[in-house]
Amino acid sequence: MKRNSTRRLTLSALLVAVMLILGYIESFLPVGGVPGIKIGLSNSVLLLAVYWLGIPTAFLLMAAKVLLSGLLFAGVSGMMYALAGGLLSMIVMSALYKVRGFSPVVIGMAGAVFHNVGQVGLAMIILQTDKLVYYMAVLMLIGLATGFTTGTVAKLLMNRLPEELKP
Amino acid sequence: MNNENFTPKEKDGAMKKRNLILVLALAAVALLLLFVGLSMRKPAARPPEAIGTARPVDAGEEIVAPSPAAVEAAKTPPSGTSEETAAPEPVGGVATPSPAAIEGENTDPTPRPTLYPATSYLRISTGRGVYAPIPLVEDGSFKLTQGEGIENVIHVGKDSFYMESSTCDNQDCVKQGEVTLDNIEERILFNMVICLPNQVTLELLTPEEAQTALEDMYRAQEAYEDEAALAAEDAYEAQ
């Protein structure tokens, strides 16, 4: 793990920067008229981080992304929801990665689904309403689709990125 | 290529199966929740006529003062102040909510609550409490202020409303568009418009739902006042 810490640090910083930019660009890409939906391209990056940098680092990257994009774009309340989604999604993705035998595409799908579950779940807790169940279900189905996209992107990245990048 | 995550050939079949099972399980849970959500949303049976006629209301009767039903939320009064366009008179009455929960200054709660007759109502909930259902009878806008630059402007019309503007970052609530009696079924959020950053939930209620909501509020209010009275007695004794 500690084999090449400068490389690891550089790659981590690079990935956080990439996530911030993707997150910003994404906010201009509406997905199918459903309020509050994004493709979640950061998910690809985090998945890559899980595979290349390990689970603890991937959690740190997620926290850094949430904090920075919260300060830069989303505001404090946005940060809260992003953190809820990010944490749940990272927990699920890490668990599936640990179990092994799951394809990165499927891990990405599960991550996206649970990202949405975390966000709507927090909203349900804060707003004290159970009426968002339907919305959550819709977001889960959408998460399957967006997760397929981001998981595929992550898989392609893992195969295509130059070996030298890998720590 | 990554090392341990690419299983040997002979395991490929098992792996594919695993992946498929996980995806199917996720989809199944989502579909289940979809049905749960759909069944929770009772089809809004449109009343043939205004329910108000079923419960005669004196012309001059005042609309019940909205009371923060979220009881402990009484620190600061929800200061929704009616302004902008002359809000329709029922809205005006409701939009200056008395923080009744604070001093228990609400009138005697014995008379059963009655709503101004209308075919639909708007219920506003914020992080600080719930407002009494506002009858949706004519056009108007009003501002809901929650202090420190947290403002939502709500436009109401006959049997419809939408979020006109909001001080939040993402403006999702504005993008969620209009809710009318007719489009509830097609909307993902059904009868709701939600502004997460400002913690504002707007709901379109049928007269029956509004009546239930109001009675629930009264019950919460009474429970709160009983508690407040006890607390006040304690405070006097302490002095």
Side-chain angles (χ1 to χ4, degrees):
Chain A
M1 269 300 206
K2 296 270 185 294
R3 169 159 66 95
N4 200 335
S5 59
T6 315
R7 272 190 164 195
R8 292 177 59 82
L9 186 62
T10 322
L11 183 61
S12 305
L14 189 68
L15 292 185
V16 172
V18 168
M19 283 195 285
L20 284 176
I21 292 167
L22 286 179
Y24 184 63
I25 293 174
E26 242 178 27
S27 59
F28 300 113
L29 300 173
V31 177
V34 182
I37 300 282
K38 282 190 231 160
I39 309 173
L41 285 169
S42 301
N43 201 35
S44 306
V45 179
L46 284 176
L47 196 52
L48 184 76
V50 168
Y51 277 80
W52 278 15
L53 294 166
I55 291 168
T57 312
F59 268 93
L60 281 180
L61 294 194
M62 186 273 293
K65 194 263 169 173
V66 167
L67 187 72
L68 289 175
S69 82
L71 290 176
L72 287 172
F73 323 116
V76 179
S77 82
M79 218 193 288
M80 247 168 29
Y81 289 97
L83 190 65
L87 265 182
L88 196 59
S89 139
M90 278 302 296
I91 290 170
V92 169
M93 292 204 296
S94 311
L96 290 177
Y97 171 76
K98 276 271 175 204
V99 170
R100 306 210 184 286
F102 286 111
S103 123
V105 178
V106 172
I107 298 183
M109 289 167 87
V113 168
F114 278 93
H115 188 278
N116 294 346
V117 169
Q119 288 200 317
V120 184
L122 182 66
M124 287 168 82
I125 293 168
I126 289 185
L127 298 177
Q128 296 282 315
T129 175
D130 51 3
K131 286 187 204 146
L132 291 179
V133 171
Y134 180 79
Y135 186 56
M136 186 192 267
V138 172
L139 286 203
M140 284 173 79
L141 291 175
I142 293 174
L144 283 176
T146 60
F148 182 78
T149 317
T150 58
T152 310
V153 168
K155 196 180 168 188
L156 289 177
L157 284 178
M158 277 184 261
N159 293 342
R160 304 276 171 96
L161 280 182
E163 271 303 293
E164 302 86 70
L165 260 182
K166 221 163 106 180
Chain B
M1 276 313 221
N2 213 338
N3 30 35
E4 64 272 51
N5 302 298
F6 290 85
T7 43
K9 274 253 165 69
E10 64 264 28
K11 282 193 186 162
D12 264 13
M15 184 173 159
K16 267 187 197 141
K17 212 168 161 191
R18 244 184 189 186
N19 285 326
L20 191 65
I21 289 173
L22 180 65
V23 171
L24 287 180
L26 287 174
V29 172
L31 286 177
L32 187 74
L33 287 179
L34 204 65
F35 284 117
V36 171
L38 272 179
S39 64
M40 275 168 58
R41 162 91 219 139
K42 307 144 268 164
R46 266 195 91 161
E49 73 255 72
I51 285 280
T53 52
R55 274 189 313 279
V57 179
D58 303 336
E61 183 163 2
E62 213 198 344
I63 307 190
V64 276
S67 44
V71 175
E72 71 288 359
K75 295 151 279 174
T76 1
S79 50
T81 43
S82 109
E83 58 110 72
E84 295 221 320
T85 23
E89 119 273 357
V91 175
V94 172
T96 42
S98 63
I102 302 179
E103 332 266 20
E105 43 122 285
N106 213 16
T107 46
D108 184 25
T110 25
R112 275 347 277 174
T114 339
L115 284 164
Y116 189 90
T119 45
S120 66
Y121 296 81
L122 163 66
R123 175 167 62 177
I124 306 174
S125 321
T126 70
R128 301 170 180 197
V130 184
Y131 292 79
I134 297 164
L136 295 173
V137 284
E138 52 181 272
D139 280 328
S141 300
F142 58 94
K143 193 184 277 180
L144 180 74
T145 312
Q146 300 183 73
E148 316 122 50
I150 302 178
E151 282 176 1
N152 291 69
V153 177
I154 302 156
H155 184 272
V156 295
K158 171 98 179 97
D159 295 330
S160 74
F161 66 83
Y162 59 90
M163 192 75 84
E164 200 169 289
S165 71
S166 165
T167 52
C168 62
D169 306 300
N170 58 20
Q171 299 289 309
D172 265 353
C173 50
V174 178
K175 290 177 205 152
Q176 282 163 27
E178 192 175 29
V179 184
T180 68
L181 267 185
D182 298 310
N183 75 0
I184 287 178
E185 308 281 312
E186 294 115 58
R187 296 180 79 255
I188 289 187
L189 286 169
F190 293 129
N191 61 340
M192 291 183 283
V193 166
I194 298 179
C195 179
L196 279 180
N198 292 358
Q199 271 193 55
V200 176
T201 309
L202 310 177
E203 287 168 278
L204 187 77
L205 302 183
T206 62
E208 294 90 347
E209 289 168 335
Q211 186 63 29
T212 317
L214 191 66
E215 280 165 14
D216 286 348
M217 279 176 66
Y218 258 73
R219 237 166 274 133
Q221 176 82 21
E222 280 165 21
Y224 178 77
E225 275 168 10
D226 290 348
E227 247 172 59
L230 284 177
E233 272 172 33
D234 289 350
Y236 272 120
E237 280 165 23
Q239 269 178 3

